[in-house]
Amino acid sequence: MSPTVQNPPAASTERATHSDAIGKALLAIESLFQAGAALADAEGKSPTEICRGDLALVEMWLPELYDRLTNPARMLEDLAASRDLEIRTTAAPGAEDLLVVAGEGVVIVPADMPAEAALAELRAALAQDEQA
């Protein structure tokens, strides 16, 4: 008999939240196209004429949203911006760790630090500040 792996309760809750978000997003897109069809009917146009523009917007924004939420460099920029922090890159010799200069609202990132590591360090630094 093979061992059973169980997800921790938090992962289960997060998975349910994620599934709910997917459902809501699909319903919102459906609502967008329904509203487009109603507008087309009211204006005496075909739904294709109106909904084609809606589809173009969705097609344009989905890759942008995906990039913002999956690209570590973009995520680092967005996180810093949400906290009014400026990101600066330094090529100073021996600089290995990310440095948050809280009083100045600056995050100094070593030039050779991967974005994933910088993002993880900034998240950790901000979490420490919130706990203090």
Side-chain angles (χ1 to χ4, degrees), residues 51-121:
C51 293
R52 187 177 297 129
D54 296 340
L55 180 60
L57 286 173
V58 170
E59 288 175 334
M60 178 180 72
W61 279 103
L62 283 179
E64 170 68 16
L65 292 172
Y66 179 82
D67 185 58
R68 279 187 49 218
L69 300 172
T70 61
N71 179 320
R74 285 288 301 274
M75 294 166 67
L76 178 64
E77 291 171 5
D78 290 347
L79 178 59
S82 72
R83 304 294 179 100
D84 292 325
L85 297 170
E86 175 188 347
I87 295 182
R88 295 183 190 163
T89 303
T90 181
E96 295 178 7
D97 295 328
L98 177 129
L99 176 64
V100 179
V101 185
E104 296 178 27
V106 174
V107 178
I108 301 173
V109 181
D112 58 349
M113 177 179 270
E116 295 90 351
L119 179 62
E121 286 192 29

Side-chain angles (χ1 to χ4, degrees), residues 35-59:
L39 176 61
D41 188 45
E43 293 183 355
K45 298 180 180 178
S46 78
T48 305
E49 287 179 78
I50 301 291
C51 293
R52 187 177 297 129
D54 296 340
L55 180 60
L57 286 173
V58 170
E59 288 175 334

